[in-house]
Amino acid sequence: MSESEMVFRDLLSETKDGDWGVGEPTPGNAPVHVIRGTDFSEVSRGRIGGVPLRFLSEKTMGRRLLRANDILIETAGGSRERPTGRSVLVSQDVLDAFPGDVTCASFARFLRVDSDVVSPRFIYWHLQHLYARGDMWMHQVQHTGVARFQFTRFSQTHKVQLPVRAEQEAVADVLGALDEKIAVNERIVAAAMELGAAKAAQVSASAMESAVLGDILELKYGKSLPAARRVAGEIPVFGSGGISGTHIEALLEGPGIVVGRKGTVGSVYWSEGGFFPIDTTFYVVCRGGGVSMEYAYFLLKGLGLEEMNSDSAVPGLNRDRALSVRIKVPDAHSIQRFTVEARELFAMSRVREQENQTLATLRDTLLPQLMSGRIRVKDAEKIVEDHV
């Protein structure tokens, strides 16, 4: 495989810091969607609903608007556990998903790769490889509370080994195919959950009886389980932001529901098997068999729990307020019929999620091997064909 070596900055035709702008429209400013580092994962899957709309100076915004195949790199916001330097490729499909102009936030910058010199998609995967390998740590500095990525230092010192152009594109195609299959599966799971929510709403709308939420279920406190006490295993550990690790022992058998108490207030998660909800969460116990766990999940998802913050200095879900919400209670036959349909949706989703775990493992295994040349692209293509 023929290769050349180039300093990273020489691969770019342009790069600029992002801009956060202001939150309200004012004279001289224009609306722009601003992608933050926290949005990278969602944007990479084509999900742009959480990207905020901000207002940037009309005089300068044109120089920061994103184009297809720009790469965003996070330049601030890391921690002692996670380095800065995450990246995302802005494809034309991503840009088309937005109803207007797009840029990145001030804690990131865009990299416009010179496509005459190198494949932008190959450079994106090169950055993914560096991040996964932990190389970004050496370019992180933290003098204050915010860790920063020393982009100038990185771009002037980091050298990239470049295979011939056809090889670059082939590597990007192989890895991109796995990412796209993962994204397709995620869209299928999301559609299944939307269907479940719609079916639950139909059942609720036809119900004749009503009650307060606390009559049909309890919200019980999770249990403290610091990272130092966890032993990696098969049991998912749930915090308010979702799965935060694993453990060898379950606190509860599944299926079960976890609700964010502190942090991501009002978030609702489903666990098919045994799970361990920590003390920033509640877990759900259904009272008296009136509703199934499946119905309770979709019910809670639709109640707007994220708006039920407590009035204390540390925001948290106001349990009393949540349990006092009046709801409709379907009859036993309607609940039973809905539960059968929901079980089918959960089973299909579980298959897709398990497939995604396999695909992600395969992608993460192939990435360093392809970047180092330890595996030939043709061999990797054959492996991927069996999975996509």
Side-chain angles (χ1 to χ4, degrees):
M1 182 172 64
S2 176
E3 289 190 349
S4 60
E5 182 179 85
M6 294 186 67
V7 176
F8 191 84
R9 67 178 179 185
D10 294 336
L11 303 174
L12 306 179
S13 61
E14 188 176 3
T15 178
K16 279 188 173 63
D17 287 323
D19 190 348
W20 185 231
V22 296
E24 300 293 334
T26 55
N29 289 338
V32 183
H33 288 87
V34 180
I35 300 174
R36 305 159 297 181
T38 53
D39 301 317
F40 282 9
S41 178
E42 292 291 288
V43 168
S44 71
R45 300 286 177 254
R47 298 194 290 260
I48 55 111
V51 176
L53 183 69
R54 304 284 293 179
F55 297 86
L56 276 61
S57 168
E58 294 174 343
K59 294 180 179 179
T60 61
M61 61 177 278
R63 299 195 293 270
R64 290 187 169 87
L65 297 184
L66 301 181
R67 303 176 191 171
N69 289 324
D70 283 349
I71 299 169
L72 307 186
I73 188 165
E74 177 191 41
T75 54
S79 66
R80 287 180 172 81
E81 291 76 32
R82 181 189 64 77
T84 48
R86 294 179 295 181
S87 57
V88 65
L89 179 68
V90 181
S91 66
Q92 186 63 56
D93 287 343
V94 167
L95 291 178
D96 290 343
F98 285 97
D101 292 326
V102 190
T103 189
C104 59
S106 50
F107 277 12
R109 69 187 298 135
F110 75 79
L111 313 178
R112 189 157 294 153
V113 175
D114 188 341
S115 58
D116 292 332
V117 176
V118 65
S119 163
R121 295 188 305 145
F122 179 81
I123 293 304
Y124 163 70
W125 285 110
H126 177 77
L127 291 171
Q128 293 291 101
H129 172 51
L130 295 180
Y131 192 85
R133 199 168 63 179
D135 288 11
M136 296 309 196
W137 280 113
M138 70 180 72
H139 302 288
Q140 178 160 302
V141 62
Q142 186 167 2
H143 299 306
T144 62
V146 178
R148 295 186 177 274
F149 180 70
Q150 297 176 293
F151 175 76
T152 300
R153 177 178 179 270
F154 167 78
S155 67
Q156 292 177 351
T157 60
H158 180 69
K159 295 179 181 180
V160 183
Q161 297 293 323
L162 298 175
V164 295
R165 184 58 174 259
E167 196 85 1
Q168 295 173 27
E169 299 291 357
V171 167
D173 285 344
V174 167
L175 297 169
L178 292 168
D179 250 10
E180 178 56 31
K181 178 60 175 176
I182 290 171
V184 168
N185 281 342
E186 288 179 344
R187 288 194 290 270
I188 292 172
V189 171
M193 293 302 100
E194 289 173 4
L195 178 59
K199 288 179 177 291
Q202 288 178 339
V203 172
S204 175
S206 63
M208 303 300 293
E209 301 293 330
S210 67
V212 295
L213 184 65
D215 288 340
I216 66 168
L217 60 81
E218 299 177 68
L219 295 176
K220 294 196 170 185
Y221 287 99
K223 184 177 179 180
S224 175
L225 185 65
R229 284 175 41 207
R230 300 176 194 176
V231 180
E234 299 297 322
I235 302 301
V237 176
F238 282 88
S240 66
I243 296 175
S244 60
T246 62
H247 193 47
I248 59 172
E249 183 180 0
L251 181 64
L252 299 159
E253 296 302 316
I257 303 168
V258 179
V259 178
R261 183 176 73 87
K262 299 284 187 182
T264 309
V265 174
S267 52
V268 182
Y269 307 104
W270 176 265
S271 180
E272 186 65 28
F275 62 107
F276 199 115
I278 64 172
D279 54 356
T280 59
T281 70
F282 294 117
Y283 64 89
V284 174
V285 175
C286 293
R287 290 181 182 272
V291 298
S292 65
M293 195 68 76
E294 290 78 7
Y295 182 78
Y297 171 77
F298 287 105
L299 172 65
L300 290 169
K301 290 282 284 186
L303 284 185
L305 297 178
E306 65 277 5
E307 303 298 328
M308 299 183 190
N309 285 348
S310 63
D311 296 326
S312 63
V314 180
L317 177 62
N318 188 320
R319 182 169 61 166
D320 291 341
R321 180 182 171 189
L323 293 176
S324 66
V325 172
R326 183 156 290 277
I327 59 168
K328 288 188 172 183
V329 182
D331 61 78
H333 176 71
S334 296
I335 289 290
Q336 183 181 26
R337 186 175 57 189
F338 169 82
T339 300
V340 170
E341 295 174 341
R343 292 302 307 162
E344 293 176 353
L345 294 174
F346 279 125
M348 184 270 290
S349 297
R350 187 164 65 255
V351 169
R352 297 287 179 169
E353 290 167 349
Q354 289 171 344
E355 182 182 16
N356 274 2
Q357 291 176 3
T358 300
L359 292 169
T361 299
L362 177 59
R363 178 200 60 203
D364 296 344
T365 301
L366 289 176
L367 177 57
Q369 295 183 20
L370 284 167
M371 288 297 167
S372 65
R374 293 198 303 271
I375 185 173
R376 296 189 309 167
V377 174
K378 289 184 178 180
D379 293 332
E381 288 173 340
K382 291 177 182 178
I383 296 171
V384 171
E385 284 175 4
D386 294 335
H387 292 81
V388 301

